[in-house]
Amino acid sequence: INGAAAEQVADGLTQAGYIATSVAVDVTSPDSTRAMADAAVAAFGRLDGLINNAGGMVRRVPYAEVSEQDYDEIMDLNARSVIVASQAAIAPLKSAGGGFIINTTSIAARNGASGGAGMYGSSKAFVHNVTRGMAKELIPFGIRVNAVAPGVIETPFHERYSTPAPTTRGATGRA
């Protein structure tokens, strides 16, 4: 969602009687990501939860051709952003007496993805395992950490990167 669309959603919620705000964030920038948590606390007085949903394939590239730049861009977007945003949220969540963190992974984290999408799948597998570790560390503070791994959802992401492929269950599968 772009900044103008986010502001429109926040305005609509405000007009409907809710408290809402939008914050432009570049999740590949740790400083910008940390500022997001600060902005949420400033707007609402507390933080009840965090949903780490930013991510993307960046580009298809076979493992044999992955450059340092490819690695950094894919891991910064899909993995580092989860760590940084979660770190920024932990103190406010503890102050609120608990809350939740939800991380979005991918079916590619389980199946290794397809041609050229391996780095994306690997970065999402990282998120899957980070979720397990965070859950263990943060539950004593009343902070629940879970992950969702959606299947194929017809979005611009899949329009750009996926091709239909049959699965063993007869449904359409995509990487």
Side-chain angles (χ1 to χ4, degrees):
I1 190 167
N2 64 38
E7 288 178 27
Q8 188 176 18
V9 169
D11 290 344
L13 289 168
T14 300
Q15 291 172 12
Y18 297 96
I19 300 171
T21 188
S22 67
V23 180
V25 178
D26 174 0
V27 296
T28 64
S29 163
D31 289 339
S32 179
T33 303
R34 288 184 199 101
M36 172 187 59
D38 295 339
V41 172
F44 302 110
R46 61 183 280 155
L47 188 64
D48 295 314
L50 168 69
I51 300 174
N52 284 308
N53 190 46
M57 190 166 321
V58 181
R59 70 185 62 78
R60 281 189 182 272
V61 57
Y63 279 114
E65 298 171 18
V66 172
S67 68
E68 289 182 31
Q69 180 180 345
D70 294 326
Y71 179 89
D72 289 345
E73 287 181 32
I74 293 166
M75 294 302 288
D76 283 352
L77 177 59
N78 296 311
R80 184 188 312 269
S81 66
V82 169
I83 299 292
V84 173
S86 297
Q87 287 175 326
I90 290 170
L93 289 171
K94 285 181 178 179
S95 294
F100 66 87
I101 297 173
I102 299 172
N103 298 321
T104 303
T105 68
S106 170
I107 59 172
R110 287 192 314 264
N111 68 18
S114 62
M119 281 302 304
Y120 169 78
S122 295
S123 69
K124 290 300 189 172
F126 174 91
V127 171
H128 180 81
N129 206 44
V130 162
T131 301
R132 290 176 186 212
M134 280 187 187
K136 293 173 185 175
E137 288 183 11
L138 298 177
I139 197 61
F141 304 101
I143 302 170
R144 299 171 321 278
V145 184
N146 290 287
V148 295
V152 176
I153 301 170
E154 294 298 329
T155 63
F157 175 92
H158 283 289
E159 289 172 11
R160 181 174 178 190
Y161 292 112
S162 299
T163 58
T167 66
T168 57
R169 296 186 182 184
T172 299
R174 296 181 179 194

